Amino acid sequence: MLKLIKNEWIKIFSKVSTYIMLVLVALFVIGFAGLMFINSRYEYDSRIAVDETSELEYLTISKPSGYEVDVSMYEFMRDSQKEWYYGQWQTDAIQDVFQEFQAPLLYQEDQMTEEEKNEWNNRLETAKALILADDWDGYVEEWLDYLSDTVNDPKMLEAKSYYWNYMKEHQIDPESGDWREDCARSIGSMKEQLAEMEAQIAAGANISEERMSEITDPLALEEYRLENGLENYMDENGHTSDLFFNTWTQGAMIVVLASVVMIVLAGGCVANEFSNGTIKFLLINPVKRSKIIISKYLTLILVSVVLIFGIFAVSGVTDLILFGAEGWNTPMLSVHDGVVSQGNAVFYVLKSYFYQGINLLVMMTMAFMISSLLRSSAVSIGIGVAALMGGSMLIQILAMLGCDWGRYILFANTDLNSIAQGNGIFPNQDLTSSIVILAVYMAVFLLTAYDGFTRREV
């Protein structure tokens, strides 16, 4: 058997076309990484200036609910003779200030005493002065004082104050782009939601544990990041802001191109023996037909495994050269029941390539079956490539038409990465059932190929 496998290996790699296809795959891997690198280095000015005049014209014409507050805010911004940009802390702050301090003066004035009016007006003028002076520290102190005076519930006060206290304690400049700012803001927002839910539960509301976990799990994850200083991480679905791992993970898509290579090799593996007349030389040897067909298939599996790991390695090395080794220690974080677990992101990347590799093996096996039944390698390759490219389109059409039986078709189960993330094209598709369905199809393909070759007349 080993001699037969070695002979098939020599046949495959004695062809110039094999090396051309492998070089093309390698160039695609390197080219994809290069494009991701160029895109990551492209810098552009994302600042967008606030057009106060246009905003005021729109508000005056449309008059949406609460527009008076926005009108007074844009008039202040216009009269300040200052450039305001979206995303600036000053712009975000002035929006918060007018919503919190100007709105009561406009809509609740009749219910206020003169002392209360003066208090709200003083808060408004003090906050505006701090913002115009670009005094971030003073603005934080003013906001914390306001919260302590107006929020009575201790848990809600802690939640609303979390972001401001964190920024103050760690001396984070809001214009620095520090990742901790977004993290602290998310934590504060989720703490507020959690405090509201707990208040509702205390008032007799029925809130499920599942709904609570939608807040507590992400909250635990963000708190874990801050505690451990993790700017970048990979989540359970492979999403990450780390350029090295993001590019490496997405590089698994290149395995689809490798599937075309294997379809070409498998489509001609048996058919070429008949079309070229070399099958007679194989059969005159004292070797059973069963061993010949098995050795051919095992050789194709070996080539497939080498090809998949080759793409994985070339992609990883290329990304390492382009993006550096800083992100190598990026952890994979998962959270269940409020408990955060830390794993190795490399294993997730390898798993992504493995899932794509299963798709490659299935399509290669189908092409191998067709090759064993037909004498024309061109027809075998054509059918295999057409199935690879058109199968997903067929499944999408069936899903749109509501044909639930389409979940049992081969092509509905080949995108194992999406199915593992719960994003299968049909509802409630799970990884186990998809793997079982693929295994059944592969068994049928192999039995058909075996039967077709062993019974075929020369």
Side-chain angles (χ1 to χ4, degrees):
M1 181 66 75
L2 290 177
K3 289 183 178 180
L4 290 173
I5 293 174
K6 182 179 179 181
N7 183 54
E8 292 299 327
W9 182 277
I10 293 172
K11 283 183 181 178
I12 291 173
F13 286 95
S14 63
K15 300 175 183 177
V16 176
S17 59
T18 301
Y19 292 98
I20 293 175
M21 289 188 292
L22 293 178
V23 169
L24 287 175
V25 171
L27 290 176
F28 266 96
V29 173
I30 297 170
F32 175 77
L35 288 174
M36 293 289 285
F37 177 78
I38 293 171
N39 183 63
S40 69
R41 293 298 184 271
Y42 180 73
E43 296 182 358
Y44 58 94
D45 187 2
S46 60
R47 296 191 310 168
I48 301 175
V50 179
D51 187 347
E52 297 90 354
T53 303
S54 297
E55 295 289 351
L56 285 168
E57 289 177 357
Y58 166 76
L59 291 169
T60 304
I61 295 171
S62 61
K63 295 183 178 180
S65 176
Y67 81 99
E68 296 91 348
V69 176
D70 290 335
V71 167
S72 59
M73 179 187 70
Y74 285 118
E75 286 177 344
F76 166 76
M77 295 171 74
R78 180 194 60 194
D79 298 339
S80 68
Q81 301 298 311
K82 176 183 174 67
E83 287 290 332
W84 301 83
Y85 294 93
Y86 291 108
Q88 239 181 359
W89 80 263
Q90 292 93 336
T91 304
D92 293 338
I94 208 67
Q95 291 175 336
D96 292 338
V97 163
F98 271 82
Q99 288 297 326
E100 287 290 332
F101 304 146
Q102 182 71 71
L105 290 170
L106 287 174
Y107 304 127
Q108 301 172 24
E109 185 178 8
D110 295 340
Q111 305 169 21
M112 292 183 182
T113 65
E114 285 300 320
E115 184 180 354
E116 288 173 335
K117 290 179 186 178
N118 291 333
E119 182 182 349
W120 282 106
N121 192 63
N122 287 336
R123 288 190 185 279
L124 176 62
E125 294 303 321
T126 301
K128 289 195 296 186
L130 291 168
I131 293 169
L132 286 176
D134 293 336
D135 187 354
W136 166 255
D137 293 332
Y139 176 73
V140 171
E141 290 289 351
E142 181 65 22
W143 198 261
L144 286 171
D145 287 341
Y146 164 68
L147 292 174
S148 64
D149 291 342
T150 56
V151 181
N152 298 320
D153 180 29
K155 287 188 176 180
M156 183 58 74
L157 176 60
E158 178 191 357
K160 286 181 174 291
S161 304
Y162 181 87
Y163 166 75
W164 306 103
N165 281 322
Y166 190 88
M167 295 290 286
K168 175 185 174 182
E169 291 171 7
H170 293 81
Q171 293 294 300
I172 299 175
D173 181 358
E175 298 296 328
S176 65
D178 194 312
W179 66 273
R180 293 175 297 172
E181 179 182 1
D182 290 336
C183 196
R185 194 186 298 276
S186 297
I187 291 174
S189 176
M190 287 185 283
K191 281 181 175 288
E192 285 187 48
Q193 296 178 56
L194 195 58
E196 290 175 359
M197 285 185 176
E198 290 175 350
Q200 292 173 11
I201 292 173
N206 182 20
I207 298 178
S208 66
E209 292 184 5
E210 182 179 358
R211 186 181 170 194
M212 290 286 288
S213 67
E214 291 176 357
I215 304 297
T216 55
D217 283 357
L219 175 59
L221 184 64
E222 294 301 306
E223 289 179 329
Y224 184 88
R225 288 182 63 202
L226 278 186
E227 290 171 5
N228 294 274
L230 300 175
E231 178 178 0
N232 296 314
Y233 74 101
M234 179 181 286
D235 66 17
E236 293 176 292
N237 294 323
H239 301 138
T240 178
S241 57
D242 180 73
L243 293 171
F244 168 68
F245 272 107
N246 184 44
T247 306
W248 200 7
T249 303
Q250 292 190 41
M253 296 184 297
I254 305 297
V255 178
V256 175
L257 180 62
S259 298
V260 177
V261 174
M262 291 312 304
I263 286 173
V264 172
L265 295 178
C269 186
V270 179
N272 282 340
E273 300 284 5
F274 286 90
S275 60
N276 295 334
T278 54
I279 187 64
K280 296 178 181 179
F281 298 102
L282 278 176
L283 297 181
I284 60 174
N285 292 311
V287 180
K288 294 182 179 179
R289 286 195 178 194
S290 59
K291 283 191 175 183
I292 294 174
I293 192 68
I294 291 172
S295 66
K296 286 181 177 292
Y297 184 69
L298 290 178
T299 304
L300 290 172
I301 289 181
L302 183 60
V303 174
S304 299
V305 171
V306 171
L307 186 55
I308 294 166
F309 274 101
I311 294 173
F312 174 79
V314 172
S315 179
V317 171
T318 305
D319 297 336
L320 201 61
I321 293 171
L322 293 177
F323 299 103
E326 291 82 4
W328 180 258
N329 294 322
T330 297
M332 178 179 176
L333 301 181
S334 57
V335 56
H336 299 284
D337 299 327
V339 179
V340 180
S341 302
Q342 184 168 322
N344 194 321
V346 175
F347 290 115
Y348 181 89
V349 179
L350 186 59
K351 184 174 69 173
S352 299
Y353 282 79
F354 173 74
Y355 286 155
Q356 290 287 4
I358 291 178
N359 180 23
L360 181 150
L361 289 175
V362 172
M363 300 309 298
M364 180 270 289
T365 303
M366 183 180 68
F368 181 72
M369 174 196 69
I370 298 170
S371 178
S372 69
L373 298 175
L374 303 176
R375 291 180 178 271
S376 173
S377 60
V379 175
S380 302
I381 294 169
I383 294 174
V385 173
L388 177 66
M389 300 303 178
S392 59
M393 295 177 59
L394 171 64
I395 295 304
Q396 288 178 2
I397 293 172
L398 292 176
M400 290 174 59
L401 295 175
C403 302
D404 194 63
W405 50 266
R407 69 175 63 241
Y408 301 108
I409 295 178
L410 170 68
F411 309 108
N413 300 278
T414 52
D415 190 0
L416 294 178
N417 275 318
S418 296
I419 294 172
Q421 296 172 12
N423 298 322
I425 195 166
F426 290 97
N428 302 318
Q429 275 188 288
D430 63 273
L431 188 61
T432 303
S433 61
S434 292
I435 291 176
V436 170
I437 291 171
L438 292 178
V440 171
Y441 273 100
M442 285 193 68
V444 171
F445 292 157
L446 288 173
L447 288 173
T448 304
Y450 180 86
D451 183 71
F453 183 80
T454 53
R455 293 174 179 268
R456 192 169 175 178
E457 293 185 4
V458 180

